């Protein structure tokens, strides 16, 4: 991080190790500076990921949290235009999703 701080900048970040307690230190998160954080979580995972402390760490930096267990499949658009993340469940609602 000290040698190449500008090389870490990103708009979207895939949270390492699905939100376990050791996922990303605050200095690392500040260096990346992502607007969106994607947490790949298995539905009803037995490990309790993502940990509340990890989610709070990302939220404290103003990042929008996307969780695959809650939001379903995610569509990420990268490239020359604006970067965006869209959730399948928000666009294709079903009565059994409870939202």
């Amino acid at each position: 991080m000290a040698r190449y701080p500008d090389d870490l900048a990103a708009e979207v970040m895939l949270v390492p190790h699905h939100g376990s307690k050791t996922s990303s230190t605050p200095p690392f998160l500040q260096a990346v500076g992502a607007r969106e954080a994607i947490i790949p979580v298995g539905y009803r995972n037995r490990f309790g990921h993502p940990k509340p402390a990890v989610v709070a760490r990302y939220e404290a930096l103003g990042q929008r949290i996307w969780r695959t267990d809650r939001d379903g499949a995610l569509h990420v658009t990268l490239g020359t235009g604006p970067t965006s993340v869209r959730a399948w469940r928000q666009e294709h609602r079903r009565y059994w999703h409870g939202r």
Side-chain angles (χ1 to χ4, degrees), residues 28 33 81 94:
F28 176 76
R94 302 286 192 265

Side-chain angles (χ1 to χ4, degrees), residues 3-86:
R3 187 179 291 178
Y4 304 105
D6 296 332
D7 291 345
L8 296 175
E11 292 186 41
V12 179
M13 179 178 180
L14 183 63
V15 175
H17 202 275
H18 51 266
S20 65
K21 288 182 184 177
T22 58
S23 293
S24 308
T25 63
F28 176 76
L29 294 178
Q30 290 172 345
V32 173
R35 288 182 307 119
E36 317 274 352
I38 298 174
I39 304 174
V41 183
Y43 181 68
R44 293 185 178 178
N45 72 79
R46 64 186 173 141
F47 302 105
H49 297 307
K51 298 295 183 185
V54 173
V55 173
R57 200 178 306 153
Y58 284 83
E59 288 175 339
L61 295 173
Q63 296 176 341
R64 181 166 183 192
I65 306 295
W66 298 90
R67 294 174 45 157
T68 56
D69 63 335
R70 178 191 66 202
D71 301 313
L74 299 172
H75 183 257
V76 181
T77 304
L78 304 170
T80 58
T83 299
S84 70
V85 180
R86 296 187 336 256

